[in-house]
């Protein structure tokens, strides 16, 4: 997100536009926690994870009264347009602000789950995959040495994009996605089949949104096979760390595109990247339409796990 903030501030400055930064998202907007930002305020942040503007969940923004208070703060600062970096929750808040108060809003997709319709990838996704993959590579050394089965749970509440990429890149024996639920009998059969092929150890990747998560998969294997199975839940470690180059480039392009979109008079849309260029998707479609995992990649994962 810092790379996107940097891009917004510097692109706006290039076009002679002042930028006001809002601390802690909609909570800060409701409280009027805002300040001017210039090019030097965003120096040396492109390599930092997280966000220098901080973030928070805002319950007050869910009410029309809370959004009215935030809109009044924007008007008091002379703000002509708002750029919101986040996921579907943030986009809901931006959409209602535009609908109720006519303030132009542009969404920038920032969620490691990569589950927003209208863009090939979201900010943070590439870094989360690399972080999880590094952990899987280390666990495979232990799995092979001790001839154990490791179940690794990665993030992805409603989408299996991270799990699928990590499974293919990490050479996993199986992957369990929210988009494709397997019965408990299938889970144990995967392990038995691997053992029959001469595999003394296995790595199974589970998205947290799969029913029961990694714990359910682990218990099913132990109950039905009796094999030594260990569960590793990577959790929020995937949300931090210095962003990889792909995320920095994506965030920079999306941040600049958001500024240009406001200059062009666009509003209530999310900027994204698809088919090699920038895309603009109505905010409501980003949560109303479903973004499926790559079925070709899913087939590839199954094929290469023999």
């Amino acid at each position: 997100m810092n790379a996107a903030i940097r891009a917004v501030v510097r692109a706006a400055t290039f076009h002679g536009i002042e930028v006001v930064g809002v601390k802690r998202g909609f909570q800060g907007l409701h409280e009027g926690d805002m300040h001017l930002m210039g090019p030097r305020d965003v120096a040396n942040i492109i390599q930092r994870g997280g966000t220098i503007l901080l973030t928070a969940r805002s319950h007050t923004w869910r009410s029309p009264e809370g959004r009215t208070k935030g809109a009044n703060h924007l008007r008091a600062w002379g703000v002509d347009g708002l750029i919101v970096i986040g996921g579907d929750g943030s986009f809901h808040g931006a959409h209602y602000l535009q609908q109720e108060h006519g303030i132009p809003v542009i969404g920038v997709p920032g969620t490691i789950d990569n589950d927003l319709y209208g863009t090939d990838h979201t900010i943070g996704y590439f870094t989360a995959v690399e972080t999880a993959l590094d952990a899987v590579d280390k666990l495979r050394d232990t799995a092979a040495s001790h001839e154990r089965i490791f179940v690794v749970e990665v993030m992805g509440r409603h989408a299996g994009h991270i799990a699928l990429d990590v499974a293919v890149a990490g050479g996993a024996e199986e992957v369990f996605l929210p988009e494709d639920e397997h019965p408990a009998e299938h889970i144990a059969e995967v392990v038995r089949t691997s053992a029959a092929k001469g595999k003394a150890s296995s790595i199974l990747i589970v998205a947290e949104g799969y029913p029961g998560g990694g714990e359910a998969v682990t218990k099913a294997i132990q109950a039905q096979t009796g094999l030594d199975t260990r569960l590793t839940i990577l959790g929020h470690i995937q949300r931090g760390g210095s962003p990889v180059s792909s995320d920095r480039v994506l965030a920079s392009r999306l941040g600049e595109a958001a500024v240009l979109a406001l200059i062009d008079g666009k509003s209530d849309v999310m900027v994204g990247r698809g088919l090699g260029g920038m895309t603009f998707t109505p905010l409501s479609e980003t949560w109303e339409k479903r973004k499926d995992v790559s079925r070709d990649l899913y087939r590839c994962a199954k094929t290469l796990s023999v």
Side-chain angles (χ1 to χ4, degrees):
M1 288 188 177
N2 281 327
I5 293 169
R6 173 181 178 272
V8 167
V9 172
R10 295 196 170 182
T13 301
F14 178 84
H15 290 283
I17 301 170
E18 283 188 325
V19 177
V20 176
V22 181
K23 300 292 286 291
R24 297 180 180 84
F26 289 132
Q27 175 182 312
L29 190 52
H30 178 264
E31 298 170 351
D33 191 359
M34 305 157 70
H35 62 281
L36 286 172
M37 298 183 72
R40 301 289 71 78
D41 295 311
V42 293
N44 298 318
I45 68 169
I46 195 171
Q47 77 279 9
R48 293 170 55 184
T51 164
I52 62 168
L53 289 176
L54 308 180
T55 186
R57 296 189 183 278
S58 175
H59 298 292
T60 56
W61 197 259
R62 297 178 181 177
S63 69
E65 294 77 15
R67 293 190 291 270
T68 296
K69 192 170 183 180
N72 290 337
H73 285 306
L74 289 173
R75 294 191 184 99
W77 276 84
V79 171
D80 300 308
L82 181 67
I83 294 174
V84 177
I85 309 171
D88 61 352
S90 300
F91 290 173
H92 271 84
H95 173 72
Y96 291 129
L97 177 68
Q98 191 276 332
Q99 293 288 306
E100 295 166 1
H101 298 281
I103 297 174
V105 296
I106 299 293
V108 174
T111 165
I112 68 168
D113 288 353
N114 196 35
D115 58 351
L116 290 173
Y117 177 85
T119 184
D120 288 346
H121 298 101
T122 56
I123 298 170
Y125 174 68
F126 294 114
T127 303
V129 168
E130 290 299 324
T131 299
L133 180 60
D134 181 65
V136 168
D137 287 344
K138 290 179 171 63
L139 286 171
R140 187 170 287 283
D141 292 342
T142 301
S145 298
H146 292 270
E147 297 185 320
R148 287 175 180 161
I149 299 165
F150 269 91
V151 174
V152 183
E153 181 183 293
V154 300
M155 297 192 99
R157 290 178 298 167
H158 308 294
H161 299 280
I162 293 176
L164 185 52
D165 270 16
V166 170
V168 174
E173 276 63 42
E174 184 58 286
V175 57
F176 299 92
L177 312 176
E179 295 88 348
D180 190 17
E181 301 176 10
H182 298 300
E185 295 78 13
H186 171 80
I187 297 172
E189 186 59 30
V190 167
V191 175
R192 293 193 187 99
T193 300
S194 293
K197 294 175 181 176
K199 294 185 178 182
S201 64
S202 295
I203 297 286
L204 311 180
I205 307 298
V206 184
E208 63 176 323
Y210 179 82
E215 184 175 359
V217 173
T218 303
K219 288 181 177 179
I221 294 172
Q222 291 175 329
Q224 297 181 48
T225 69
L227 296 174
D228 189 9
T229 307
R230 303 298 174 91
L231 170 63
T232 297
I233 300 176
L234 298 183
H236 283 76
I237 190 174
Q238 296 158 91
R239 290 188 174 275
S242 181
V244 298
S245 61
S246 297
D247 266 327
R248 299 185 198 190
V249 173
L250 175 64
S252 297
R253 293 191 65 189
L254 293 177
E256 184 206 26
V259 172
L260 295 177
L262 283 176
I263 292 174
D264 290 341
K266 291 183 174 62
S267 180
D268 203 23
V269 297
M270 178 194 76
V271 296
R273 185 178 67 179
L275 300 175
M278 294 295 105
T279 61
F280 301 92
T281 304
L283 287 181
S284 59
E285 289 189 9
T286 65
W287 65 78
E288 290 174 351
K289 294 187 177 182
R290 181 172 176 268
K291 179 180 179 180
D292 197 8
V293 295
S294 169
R295 291 297 162 176
D296 288 340
L297 188 61
Y298 192 42
R299 184 197 65 243
C300 180
K302 301 292 186 181
T303 302
L304 301 185
S305 63
V306 296

